[in-house]
């Protein structure tokens, strides 16, 4: 006698499938909960850094999050993991602002000024967060700002290549120039913070823009002067 797909066996299979489906939904909800909790802890860390400085401790971070270190370590295996997550958040936010700034104009000089001004404005607004990101390297070889500089350098190089092509020039040097420009700004910005901000941010931005444009203006100008008219 054949088995009845609607009988006891079928019921068992359907029940088993339902249990699996319910378990999957529960797992998915917990994944979302863990993701949200990790994000809350990252934001709490940023707030604690702003309040206590780049040398903030885990007790202060946990207090800012309204929890205990035990709970923090439940979501991040150690301080290094939390640090990397914070760096990723900072890098993503700053990169988005820089991309917006560099796309705010089609003129290379204005693009350069906007990007430099945006980078320095971020440092001035959140100096302790910047120090936290660049001064702590619990993960050997991790330099999130260097990684960010690479991403920004790629962005600057792409826009510079476009400007060179529009000027009828060879875009080949764009990678070197884009990354070189970003390196110059980062080095000057680090000095500015270490020296206690000896000049206004706007003054530093203007100086760096002048220096950068002194070189860039000669290479992104139209290859044929009549094209500029």
């Amino acid at each position: 006698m054949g088995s009845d797909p609607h009988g006891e066996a079928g019921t068992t299979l359907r029940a088993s499938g339902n249990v699996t489906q319910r378990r999957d939904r529960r797992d998915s909800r917990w994944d979302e909960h863990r993701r949200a909790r990790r994000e809350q802890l990252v934001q709490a860390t940023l707030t604690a850094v702003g309040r206590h400085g780049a040398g903030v401790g885990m007790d202060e971070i946990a207090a800012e999050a309204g929890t205990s270190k035990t709970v923090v370590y439940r979501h991040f295996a150690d301080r290094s993991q939390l640090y990397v997550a914070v760096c990723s958040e900072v890098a993503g936010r700053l990169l988005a602002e820089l991309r917006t700034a560099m796309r705010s104009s089609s003129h290379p000089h204005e693009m350069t000024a906007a990007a430099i001004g945006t980078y320095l404005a971020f440092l001035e607004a959140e100096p302790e967060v910047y120090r936290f990101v660049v001064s702590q390297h619990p993960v050997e070889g991790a330099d999130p700002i260097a990684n960010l500089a690479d991403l920004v350098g790629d962005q600057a190089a792409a826009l510079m290549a476009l400007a060179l092509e529009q000027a009828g020039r060879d875009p080949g040097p764009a990678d070197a120039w884009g990354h070189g420009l970003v390196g110059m700004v980062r080095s000057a910005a680090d000095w500015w913070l270490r020296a206690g901000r000896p000049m206004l941010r706007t003054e530093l931005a203007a100086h760096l823009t002048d220096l950068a444009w002194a070189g860039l203006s000669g290479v992104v100008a139209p290859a044929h002067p009549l094209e500029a008219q």
Side-chain angles (χ1 to χ4, degrees):
M1 186 173 179
S3 62
D4 181 359
H6 302 291
E8 182 178 351
T11 301
T12 302
L13 288 173
R14 287 198 303 274
S16 176
N18 289 338
V19 169
T20 301
Q21 189 176 9
R22 285 196 297 272
R23 183 180 300 115
D24 290 344
R25 285 199 296 268
R26 285 197 298 270
D27 288 345
S28 177
R29 286 197 296 270
W30 275 112
D31 287 344
E32 178 60 24
H33 170 76
R34 285 189 288 265
R35 185 206 63 75
R37 189 56 173 146
R38 284 169 63 91
E39 177 61 23
Q40 290 171 357
L41 291 172
V42 166
Q43 295 303 323
T45 301
L46 289 170
T47 301
V49 170
R51 181 171 299 174
H52 301 287
V56 65
M58 291 299 291
D59 286 324
E60 293 162 326
I61 291 171
E64 187 63 44
T67 187
S68 65
K69 286 195 298 184
T70 301
V71 172
V72 176
Y73 287 132
R74 189 179 300 159
H75 294 276
F76 297 96
D78 52 28
R79 184 185 176 95
S80 297
Q81 276 196 4
L82 177 59
Y83 169 76
V84 169
V86 170
C87 289
S88 296
E89 172 69 18
V90 173
R93 192 168 64 197
L94 179 54
L95 181 60
E97 292 178 5
L98 286 168
R99 282 175 171 162
T100 298
M102 286 189 286
R103 290 170 177 164
S104 63
S105 172
S106 59
H107 191 284
H109 179 272
E110 294 175 358
M111 286 164 46
T112 302
I116 291 174
T118 297
Y119 187 87
L120 295 178
F122 175 83
L123 267 66
E124 186 175 55
E126 302 188 74
E128 290 304 321
V129 169
Y130 183 80
R131 290 189 179 100
F132 178 83
V133 169
V134 301
S135 66
Q136 303 184 46
H137 299 295
V139 181
E140 186 176 355
D143 185 348
I145 291 300
N147 293 337
L148 174 62
D150 283 341
L151 293 173
V152 176
D154 290 342
Q155 186 78 6
L159 293 172
M160 198 170 293
L162 179 61
L164 287 168
E165 290 172 351
Q166 291 174 341
R169 293 183 176 273
D170 176 17
D175 284 337
W177 291 341
H179 286 273
L181 175 62
V182 171
M184 178 193 75
V185 174
R186 179 190 173 182
S187 180
D190 288 350
W191 160 79
W192 182 61
L193 280 184
R194 288 196 308 271
R197 288 179 272 189
M199 64 181 70
L200 294 175
R201 169 182 55 81
T202 51
E203 292 177 330
L204 177 60
H207 293 328
L208 292 177
T209 299
D210 287 344
L211 177 60
W213 189 245
L216 292 175
S217 60
V219 295
V220 298
H224 305 290
L226 290 178
E227 295 178 10
Q229 297 179 2

